[in-house]
Amino acid sequence: MRELVPLFPGARYFNPEQVVDTTEQPPAEVARSIANRLG
C-alpha cells in the first residue's frame, strides 16, 4: 500500500495498528497525537 502514496498528491500512509485509541483523550491530546504520527 505504501507504494500508492506517491500516486496521490497529499496522500499519507499510516499503519492502522499504530492508531491510538482516542476515546478517552481530551481533544487537544488527540490532535497532538495524530500530528506526531503524521510527521
Side-chain angles (χ1 to χ4, degrees), residues 12-14 17-20 32-39:
R12 294 184 182 242
Y13 174 83
F14 73 94
E17 293 177 5
Q18 293 178 331
V19 175
V20 296
R32 202 170 14 262
S33 178
I34 292 170
N36 287 338
R37 291 183 187 280
L38 292 178

Side-chain angles (χ1 to χ4, degrees), residues 21-37:
D21 177 10
T22 59
T23 57
E24 295 184 22
Q25 295 179 357
E29 183 60 31
V30 171
R32 202 170 14 262
S33 178
I34 292 170
N36 287 338
R37 291 183 187 280

